[in-house]
Amino acid sequence: MSVASSASQRRVATPIAAFFDVDNTLLSGEASEVRFFRWLWQRGVVGWPEARVSVAWWLRHLPSLSLHPLRERKLYLAGKPAQVIEALGEEFCREALCPRVSPAAMTAIERHRSEGHLVILLTGSLDFLMEPIADSLQVDRCVASQLEQVEGVYTGQVVPPLPYGEGKLTFVHRLAQELELDLAACFAYGDSPGDRELLSAVGRPTVVNPIRGMARVARRHGWPVVSWR
């Protein structure tokens, strides 16, 4: 279970949490991992061999043009030492991601915190990219993708369940049980079809910066839509 505490592992006497997706929700625009890949490329840490391996694996797992196979495998990091990549990830996050957190998102987080709600990040992005953001925002929990390691080296596999789609729902239920949350009173914020299960699980969902048909989904369910760009 890839649940990490960023501010505290304390048990808070509240039945309400606010779950936040990160990519294109707290951080508008391009996905954090796409930015990280480009950042590594510019520094010569990855190159055409890693790109070819990822694309070839993706093409073998069509028929649809879904990017989901690439969410489950991080082959561009396979064979690389975790200690080195995680240090680079922290540098990248503090340099390129933390300054891009939406002011509107920070306002929402502070509002929830002032009302005594738990603040939980729930994202399919990589845990070592998300932890500096979670620390800077002083959230209560951060759930993110965790890469499998063997003797300190990444295999390219993500430790299941992936916090995306049904995987997010799995983590919501685990946290609801652990923290005794009343999901009907909880909040959730997400932007894409990968957040539908999360948004459907709580009583107070909000679609942020909708992409890939989520504005239509929000209208159908009567969910509010906001822009945090």
Side-chain angles (χ1 to χ4, degrees), residues 22 31 43 56 60 62-63 68 72 75 77 91 106 108 114-115 134 146 148 164 171 178 188 208 215:
V22 176
R43 284 154 181 77
R60 287 198 304 272
L62 296 175
H68 195 64
E72 297 176 321
L75 297 181
L77 294 177
E91 179 186 352
M106 289 190 285
S114 70
E115 293 178 2
Q146 181 180 356
E148 180 185 74
Y164 183 87
F171 282 112
E178 177 190 348
V208 180

Coordinates of all heavy atoms in Angstrom, one line a residue, residues 22 31 43 56 60 62-63 68 72 75 77 91 106 108 114-115 134 146 148 164 171 178 188 208 215:
V22 N -3.4 15.6 -8.2 CA -2.3 16.6 -8.4 C -2.2 17.1 -9.8 O -2.3 18.3 -10.1 CB -1.0 16.0 -7.8 CG1 0.1 17.0 -8.1 CG2 -1.1 15.7 -6.4
A31 N 1.5 16.9 -17.4 CA 1.7 16.0 -16.2 C 3.1 16.1 -15.7 O 4.1 16.3 -16.4 CB 1.4 14.6 -16.7
R43 N 19.3 16.5 -19.1 CA 20.5 16.3 -18.3 C 21.2 15.0 -18.7 O 22.2 14.6 -18.1 CB 20.2 16.3 -16.9 CG 19.9 17.7 -16.3 CD 19.0 17.7 -15.1 NE 18.8 19.1 -14.7 CZ 18.0 20.0 -15.3 NH1 17.3 19.6 -16.4 NH2 17.9 21.2 -14.9
A56 N 7.8 1.0 -27.4 CA 7.7 -0.4 -27.9 C 6.7 -1.2 -27.0 O 5.9 -1.9 -27.5 CB 9.0 -1.1 -28.1
R60 N 3.0 -2.7 -28.0 CA 2.6 -4.1 -27.8 C 1.3 -4.3 -27.0 O 0.7 -5.4 -27.0 CB 3.8 -4.9 -27.1 CG 5.0 -5.1 -28.0 CD 5.9 -6.2 -27.5 NE 6.3 -5.9 -26.1 CZ 7.4 -5.2 -25.8 NH1 8.2 -4.7 -26.7 NH2 7.7 -5.0 -24.5
L62 N -1.4 -2.3 -27.1 CA -2.6 -1.7 -27.7 C -3.7 -2.8 -27.8 O -3.3 -3.9 -27.4 CB -2.3 -1.1 -29.1 CG -1.3 0.1 -29.0 CD1 -0.9 0.5 -30.5 CD2 -1.8 1.2 -28.3
P63 N -5.0 -2.7 -28.1 CA -5.4 -2.0 -29.3 C -5.8 -0.5 -29.1 O -5.7 0.2 -30.1 CB -6.7 -2.8 -29.7 CG -7.2 -3.3 -28.5 CD -6.0 -3.6 -27.6
H68 N -2.7 4.2 -20.5 CA -2.7 3.5 -19.3 C -1.5 2.5 -19.1 O -1.0 2.4 -18.0 CB -4.0 2.8 -19.0 CG -4.2 2.3 -17.6 ND1 -4.3 3.2 -16.6 CD2 -4.3 1.1 -17.1 CE1 -4.5 2.6 -15.4 NE2 -4.5 1.3 -15.7
E72 N 1.3 2.1 -15.8 CA 1.6 0.9 -15.0 C 3.1 0.5 -15.1 O 3.5 -0.3 -14.3 CB 0.7 -0.3 -15.5 CG -0.8 0.0 -15.3 CD -1.6 -1.1 -15.9 OE1 -1.2 -1.6 -17.0 OE2 -2.6 -1.5 -15.2
L75 N 9.3 2.1 -17.7 CA 10.5 1.5 -18.2 C 11.6 2.4 -18.4 O 12.8 1.9 -18.5 CB 10.1 0.7 -19.5 CG 9.0 -0.4 -19.3 CD1 8.7 -1.1 -20.7 CD2 9.5 -1.4 -18.3
L77 N 12.8 4.2 -16.3 CA 13.6 4.2 -15.1 C 14.1 2.8 -14.7 O 14.9 2.7 -13.8 CB 12.8 4.8 -14.0 CG 12.4 6.2 -14.1 CD1 11.5 6.6 -12.9 CD2 13.6 7.1 -14.1
E91 N 15.1 17.4 -6.5 CA 15.6 18.6 -7.1 C 14.6 19.2 -8.1 O 14.3 20.4 -8.1 CB 17.0 18.4 -7.7 CG 17.6 19.6 -8.4 CD 18.9 19.3 -9.1 OE1 19.4 18.1 -9.0 OE2 19.4 20.2 -9.8
M106 N -4.1 26.2 -3.5 CA -3.6 26.5 -2.1 C -4.7 27.1 -1.2 O -4.8 26.8 0.0 CB -2.4 27.4 -2.2 CG -1.2 26.7 -2.7 SD 0.4 27.6 -2.5 CE 0.2 28.8 -3.8
A108 N -7.9 26.6 -1.5 CA -8.9 25.5 -1.2 C -8.3 24.7 -0.1 O -9.0 24.3 0.8 CB -9.2 24.7 -2.4
S114 N -8.6 25.0 7.7 CA -9.2 25.8 8.7 C -10.5 25.3 9.2 O -10.9 25.6 10.3 CB -9.4 27.2 8.1 OG -10.5 27.2 7.1
E115 N -11.2 24.4 8.4 CA -12.4 23.8 8.8 C -12.2 22.5 9.5 O -13.2 21.8 9.9 CB -13.4 23.6 7.6 CG -13.8 25.0 7.0 CD -14.7 24.8 5.8 OE1 -15.0 23.7 5.4 OE2 -15.1 25.9 5.2
A134 N 3.9 17.7 -1.1 CA 3.1 17.3 0.1 C 3.7 18.0 1.3 O 3.0 18.5 2.2 CB 3.1 15.8 0.3
Q146 N 4.3 4.1 -6.4 CA 5.5 3.6 -5.8 C 6.2 2.7 -6.7 O 5.5 1.7 -7.2 CB 5.3 3.0 -4.4 CG 6.5 2.5 -3.7 CD 6.2 1.9 -2.4 OE1 5.1 1.8 -2.0 NE2 7.2 1.4 -1.7
E148 N 8.7 -0.3 -7.9 CA 9.3 -1.5 -7.3 C 10.8 -1.4 -7.4 O 11.3 -0.9 -8.4 CB 8.8 -2.7 -8.1 CG 9.4 -4.1 -7.6 CD 8.9 -5.2 -8.5 OE1 9.4 -5.3 -9.7 OE2 8.1 -6.0 -8.1
Y164 N -4.9 5.2 -9.6 CA -5.5 5.8 -10.8 C -6.8 5.0 -11.0 O -6.8 3.8 -10.9 CB -4.6 5.7 -12.0 CG -5.1 6.4 -13.2 CD1 -5.0 7.7 -13.5 CD2 -5.9 5.6 -14.2 CE1 -5.5 8.3 -14.6 CE2 -6.4 6.2 -15.3 CZ -6.2 7.5 -15.5 OH -6.7 8.1 -16.7
F171 N -7.7 3.0 -2.5 CA -7.1 3.8 -1.5 C -8.1 4.6 -0.6 O -7.9 4.7 0.6 CB -6.0 4.7 -2.1 CG -4.7 3.9 -2.4 CD1 -4.4 3.7 -3.7 CD2 -3.9 3.4 -1.4 CE1 -3.2 3.1 -4.1 CE2 -2.8 2.7 -1.7 CZ -2.4 2.5 -3.1
E178 N -9.4 3.3 7.9 CA -8.3 3.6 8.8 C -8.6 4.9 9.6 O -8.4 4.9 10.9 CB -7.0 3.8 8.1 CG -5.8 4.2 9.0 CD -4.6 4.6 8.2 OE1 -4.5 4.4 7.0 OE2 -3.7 5.2 8.8
A188 N -13.7 15.9 -2.8 CA -12.7 15.4 -3.7 C -12.6 16.3 -4.9 O -13.6 16.9 -5.4 CB -13.0 14.0 -4.2
V208 N -12.0 19.9 -11.6 CA -11.1 21.0 -11.7 C -10.4 20.9 -13.1 O -9.9 19.8 -13.4 CB -10.1 21.0 -10.6 CG1 -9.1 22.2 -10.7 CG2 -10.7 21.0 -9.2
A215 N -15.9 17.5 -18.4 CA -16.9 18.5 -18.3 C -18.3 17.9 -18.6 O -19.2 18.3 -17.9 CB -16.6 19.7 -19.3

